[in-house]
Amino acid sequence: MIIDKYLQQLKEVERKFHYYEKNLDTIIQSVFKQISHTIITKGRIANTCLFDEERLGNKVNGKVVSSLIVSNDCMKYHYDNNNRIIMVEEYSVFLKKFDVIEIYIYREITEKLLISSEILRRLYIFDNPFGKTNLCLSYAGSNGYIVDEYVYEESKLKEILIGRDDGDSKDTFFYEENELIMIEHTSKEGIKRIKYTTKKPKFEKIRKDVYTYLKSAITDYQKDFRAIGIEGFLDQDPPHFCISFENKPIPSELIAEWDSEMETIFVWDFQFDEKQLKKCIKIIAEVIVELVQEGMLRKKLIYFHQNQVVVTQNYPSSKTVLKKAQITVL
């Protein structure tokens, strides 16, 4: 495990975490005294380490503004005499005030204190702040130790190897014309998901394609059928779903156990993020409604699953679409 290589250093990070945790108010007041100037922004304007915000699914596209905006993404960036960021505050609409969310302490290596609700949540120690980071060690209280090893290919960040107490994972970075277009996370179990992408699905095309594929599959099926099964694997890379038909009076709840072979239909070239996934499932629900209203699925049992779970259990917007049309999916 990656974490084993840095265990002694991580224990020192943990020791500092508990020291800072106990003295947080004093540290905050000390940093306030070091502020040379402040800028107010709407949104983030800097990555602490390379692509930090993108790894969270965000963009660093904040704008400098002249005065306070009553918005949860209104930030104050405080700088010292060396023009270094030493503190970040974020406005809370609920609390109607700014809260300190980050503190930076510059030593031989940089320390970052991540704060939430006036409590220290995580302490980072890393090199090359706001630049080409090579190694970041952190301790996050009950969430334990975390190691990020940055791997470069020529001048581009290729991947970040992530070590945690429960195993290793990684983030992989993809580019087009030197611009970052996607970050793919691979879990310790080998499961891949997209954390960030600039690629935007063309949902109108996806809608037309899904309608065409489903209509053709129903038309081309040469046998009688009582039920159609749509088994979604829409969170995978690439996102797809499978179609199957069944003529038994009581089909198995598992579409994969039906008698007909499953036909696979790919809907896009890249893995969806969570918001895109929900939208795609809703689109398929809307297409099912169209096909029922056109008569192609009238009086048929309709099974629509995402990873073997009925979509209405986990996707409220799809449930609303189907309920409004008085269509039950199993």
Side-chain angles (χ1 to χ4, degrees):
M1 289 175 53
I2 294 171
I3 210 164
D4 293 336
K5 295 190 292 182
Y6 303 98
L7 202 52
Q8 291 304 313
Q9 292 154 274
L10 288 164
K11 287 179 179 178
E12 176 62 16
V13 178
E14 181 181 1
R15 185 193 68 77
K16 284 189 173 185
F17 174 94
H18 291 302
Y19 173 80
Y20 290 150
E21 184 181 35
K22 292 177 183 177
N23 297 280
L24 188 58
D25 288 343
T26 301
I27 293 166
I28 290 173
Q29 293 308 312
S30 174
V31 174
F32 266 118
K33 293 176 182 178
Q34 301 172 40
I35 294 172
S36 170
H37 62 281
T38 298
I39 62 172
I40 301 174
T41 71
K42 180 174 173 57
R44 291 274 182 173
I45 60 169
N47 271 318
T48 305
C49 300
L50 199 56
F51 297 134
D52 261 2
E53 287 299 312
E54 287 83 354
R55 291 174 71 192
L56 296 173
N58 305 322
K59 292 183 178 180
V60 182
N61 57 358
K63 305 294 183 184
V64 177
V65 295
S66 58
S67 59
L68 165 67
I69 298 173
V70 180
S71 169
N72 286 328
D73 61 352
C74 185
M75 325 278 288
K76 284 183 181 179
Y77 282 84
H78 301 294
Y79 294 77
D80 65 8
N81 288 324
N82 294 313
N83 205 34
R84 300 176 302 188
I85 297 171
I86 56 173
M87 179 185 287
V88 180
E89 294 183 84
E90 184 173 22
Y91 190 77
S92 168
V93 173
F94 176 73
L95 298 174
K96 297 181 180 179
K97 69 183 184 73
F98 280 96
D99 275 336
V100 176
I101 59 170
E102 294 172 6
I103 287 176
Y104 294 88
I105 300 173
Y106 297 93
R107 307 186 192 279
E108 185 175 340
I109 53 176
T110 302
E111 299 173 359
K112 171 184 171 180
L113 286 68
L114 182 66
I115 301 164
S116 176
S117 301
E118 301 180 353
I119 296 172
L120 180 61
R121 304 295 183 180
R122 187 170 171 183
L123 173 63
Y124 305 74
I125 295 183
F126 56 98
D127 59 3
N128 301 322
F130 305 101
K132 190 176 177 181
T133 309
N134 293 293
L135 177 66
C136 178
L137 306 178
S138 61
Y139 177 73
S142 59
N143 290 319
Y145 299 136
I146 304 163
V147 175
D148 287 342
E149 290 184 339
Y150 292 70
V151 180
Y152 295 87
E153 193 171 78
E154 297 178 353
S155 60
K156 292 179 185 174
L157 180 60
K158 178 183 177 183
E159 59 187 14
I160 297 176
L161 307 178
I162 306 163
R164 300 187 72 115
D165 292 327
D166 60 351
D168 298 340
S169 59
K170 69 176 180 179
D171 287 345
T172 305
F173 298 78
F174 299 87
Y175 303 84
E176 275 185 6
E177 298 179 354
N178 296 318
E179 294 293 327
L180 178 70
I181 61 165
M182 189 168 68
I183 303 173
E184 178 184 77
H185 178 75
T186 306
S187 72
K188 63 181 189 294
E189 296 86 6
I191 298 170
K192 295 183 177 181
R193 68 177 178 86
I194 300 301
K195 280 187 169 182
Y196 170 87
T197 181
T198 59
K199 294 288 186 180
K200 301 296 183 184
K202 297 179 180 179
F203 282 112
E204 282 306 311
K205 182 179 186 305
I206 288 173
R207 181 190 299 274
K208 290 177 183 177
D209 289 346
V210 168
Y211 174 83
T212 300
Y213 293 147
L214 283 176
K215 189 171 183 178
S216 295
I218 295 166
T219 303
D220 295 344
Y221 191 68
Q222 300 298 314
K223 303 176 184 178
D224 289 334
F225 67 93
R226 295 174 183 268
I228 182 173
I230 300 170
E231 183 66 69
F233 303 96
L234 297 159
D235 58 342
Q236 296 190 12
D237 182 16
H240 62 282
F241 63 89
C242 298
I243 304 175
S244 191
F245 298 91
E246 181 61 276
N247 200 35
K248 291 180 180 177
I250 304 178
S252 168
E253 292 182 0
L254 292 176
I255 299 171
E257 293 180 351
W258 291 8
D259 288 340
S260 70
E261 292 186 7
M262 299 183 83
E263 178 183 353
T264 300
I265 296 170
F266 294 95
V267 299
W268 197 43
D269 295 332
F270 297 91
Q271 190 173 7
F272 291 128
D273 61 25
E274 191 64 28
K275 185 176 179 180
Q276 293 164 348
L277 170 64
K278 291 175 182 177
K279 186 166 184 177
C280 185
I281 291 173
K282 182 182 178 184
I283 283 172
I284 296 174
E286 291 169 345
V287 170
I288 289 171
V289 171
E290 286 185 60
L291 293 173
V292 170
Q293 292 173 345
E294 290 173 9
M296 299 199 72
L297 292 177
R298 191 169 297 150
K299 296 184 179 180
K300 304 294 184 183
L301 297 174
I302 301 170
Y303 288 68
F304 181 18
H305 299 171
Q306 166 62 17
N307 288 333
Q308 300 184 344
V309 179
V310 181
V311 296
T312 51
Q313 290 187 27
N314 295 326
Y315 298 93
S317 61
S318 300
K319 181 178 180 179
T320 300
V321 167
L322 295 163
K323 185 178 180 180
K324 184 177 180 181
Q326 298 183 323
I327 295 171
T328 299
V329 295
L330 305 168

